[in-house]
Amino acid sequence: MHQSNDYFMTLPERTVERLSEYRRSLLQCLEEGKTHIFSHELANLHHNTAVQVRRDIMFIGYTSMQRKGYDVRELVDVIGEILDSEMGLNVAVIGIGNLGRAFTTYFVGKRSKLNIIATFDVDTTKIDRVISGVKCYPLNRLKEVVETHQISIAILTVPADSASEVAAQLVEAGIKGLMNFTTIPLNVPNEVFLDEYDMITSVEKVAYFVKSPRE
Amino acid sequence: MHQSNDYFMTLPERTVERLSEYRRSLLQCLEEGKTHIFSHELANLHHNTAVQVRRDIMFIGYTSMQRKGYDVRELVDVIGEILDSEMGLNVAVIGIGNLGRAFTTYFVGKRSKLNIIATFDVDTTKIDRVISGVKCYPLNRLKEVVETHQISIAILTVPADSASEVAAQLVEAGIKGLMNFTTIPLNVPNEVFLDEYDMITSVEKVAYFVKSPRE
DNA sequence: TCGAAACTGTGATTTAATTAACAATATTTC
DNA sequence: GAAATATTGTTAATTAAATCACAGTTTCGA
Ligand SMILES: NC(=O)c1ccc[n+]([C@@H]2O[C@H](COP(=O)([O-])OP(=O)(O)OC[C@H]3O[C@@H](n4cnc5c(N)ncnc54)[C@H](O)[C@@H]3O)[C@@H](O)[C@H]2O)c1
Ligand SMILES: NC(=O)c1ccc[n+]([C@@H]2O[C@H](COP(=O)([O-])OP(=O)(O)OC[C@H]3O[C@@H](n4cnc5c(N)ncnc54)[C@H](O)[C@@H]3O)[C@@H](O)[C@H]2O)c1
């Protein structure tokens, strides 16, 4: 039973994240030949509750076969309709150092609607080479390459002290979404979607809760 | 004016994260010779409001010089008292592949109360070598090394298909905090603090909001 | 010396996210 | 085919987080 609204409202960020995570588990289920899954099973695979799973799925307007659970294949497809763009989106990695290379290598292996089609750096030993399977361009060709290849998303892995400057260039070049892995919080115009993740903060948080366990 | 409670309640996770982020900005301020900072200045450096900053600082029981803003040095120290352990904590990286190496290289450079003092792998070409400045041990010596070096935190960067198994070994070895960078959600006993971060999910979220901007 | 201005600290309020509760529905069992 | 069981979808209640609103200080300027 597949029923999806023609006009989706924008989903809460956390729901979008969970849908992405559910999809990965569901694809795994498919590989194992599992065709149906209950909300509590999906919940157990992630750290949450059956109610939360049902609510997330309700958000995207999919409904199950009552009492049989969700059809895994259909659910994967519906999540795909929500998360993916028909024709895919093009992605660039900016700063192809240790983290940029690790990310690119990992990502390029995955089948996905997101294609890393360029990397950028200022290091002349990297420019014009193919690194992690993707061509590296000089940063000063950013705008040109972004336009000709219709790149809409950038992954920022440059050193902290050039992060703000490079971010401004990305905005100027017409990037629509920015994933910032540097430790510097960025300012971008409202119409550019920005997500930031700081590994060091995460590890410091773990350390805090190791030192001060809850209850 | 430095007034800290003897017994802290456990802070909300988001507050702990923000404190870690504030600290980094504050250290930067110190380097630039800035001795005092207002809540709205700190807020501007991060993506939040002056009230939020004041509330976070209230949580840790620090109070400013009225009308002069917060003393940067003191605030750094108070945040340190909250986040850091007196004698530091020892950390191990499990799976010293692309991501593990990037992380280790980056982290080892930082002055911090968290010391990466061992890495573990199963690849015999890596074992017993020093990689990213840290000695790599065979995974089967995990328990022994964790005990002798009093390692309490593990960073998990092994391939997805061995993540669960290795996590169980880490728990068994007595790890108290686990930062999981694999794409597999883990189950650990309640007394082990677990944080998980999935880069792919983050990028998929950015893609979703690029495709479906808010309002 | 007395406002006015600039910030902080915090109770009250609002908003957002999660969880509980349960009616509706399909399936199995006897 | 009726009762028992399992599971969903959704409304209502709860909890947690963020924001508002403002009184209380300190400083400044006239
Ligand atoms: N490595 C990690 O695990 C880790 C963890 C947390 C945060 N980070 C952050 O990620 C960023 C990159 O870390 P890394 O370890 O990969 O560093 P790195 O030094 O290995 O790589 C940085 C790369 O950026 C390039 N670069 C420098 N200036 C540039 C510019 N203006 N435009 C384009 N490219 C430029 C360099 O040539 C280099 O290739 C840093 O900001 C760091 O704070 C990394
Ligand atoms: N590279 C990235 O940017 C990235 C992004 C998202 C998620 N991840 C996740 O991080 C993990 C590591 O990614 P990577 O790109 O570094 O992979 P990688 O293959 O480069 O590294 C994996 C390392 O783990 C070692 N290993 C394998 N089995 C092990 C075991 N049982 N115990 C200890 N070590 C073992 C391998 O020898 C190798 O050195 C994966 O689970 C991946 O899903 C990586």
Side-chain angles (χ1 to χ4, degrees), chain A residues 94-101 120-124 126 137 139 156-163 165-166 169 180-184 197-200, chain B residues 99-107 110 199:
Chain A
I94 322 296
I96 191 82
N98 292 320
L99 184 57
R101 276 199 311 275
F120 292 87
D121 210 297
V122 290
D123 182 341
T124 51
K126 291 173 178 160
Y137 294 91
L139 190 69
L156 191 63
T157 52
V158 300
D161 52 20
S162 42
E165 188 194 322
V166 175
Q169 293 176 254
N180 177 25
F181 285 118
T182 78
T183 51
I184 305 292
Y197 178 72
D198 188 326
M199 295 187 196
I200 303 303
Chain B
L99 184 58
R101 277 200 310 276
F103 181 87
T104 307
T105 304
Y106 177 75
F107 206 96
K110 302 273 161 288
M199 296 188 196

Side-chain angles (χ1 to χ4, degrees), chain B residues 141-196:
Chain B
R141 289 185 58 198
L142 183 65
K143 187 159 193 178
E144 169 213 333
V145 177
V146 164
E147 280 168 7
T148 57
H149 289 85
Q150 304 201 59
I151 295 171
S152 52
I153 294 175
I155 314 294
L156 190 63
T157 51
V158 299
D161 53 18
S162 43
S164 303
E165 187 195 322
V166 175
Q169 291 176 256
L170 286 166
V171 170
E172 163 64 17
I175 283 293
K176 294 282 170 276
L178 180 50
M179 179 74 229
N180 177 26
F181 285 116
T182 76
T183 49
I184 304 292
L186 300 175
N187 290 304
V188 299
N190 225 278
E191 63 275 16
V192 174
F193 182 86
L194 171 67
D195 194 25
E196 310 197 298

Side-chain angles (χ1 to χ4, degrees), chain B residues 15-63:
Chain B
T15 294
V16 173
E17 288 178 10
R18 283 190 298 258
L19 289 173
S20 159
E21 288 159 11
Y22 298 158
R23 173 160 66 174
R24 216 182 350 256
S25 301
L26 293 168
L27 288 169
Q28 183 62 32
C29 289
L30 275 186
E31 285 197 9
E32 293 163 6
K34 192 169 168 62
T35 62
H36 292 80
I37 192 167
F38 297 127
S39 58
H40 66 263
E41 291 179 296
L42 200 43
N44 284 342
L45 292 173
H46 299 269
H47 303 285
N48 68 160
T49 63
V51 185
Q52 181 72 77
V53 169
R54 297 206 295 276
R55 172 97 35 205
D56 287 332
I57 290 176
M58 190 182 125
F59 261 122
I60 63 178
Y62 178 71
T63 83

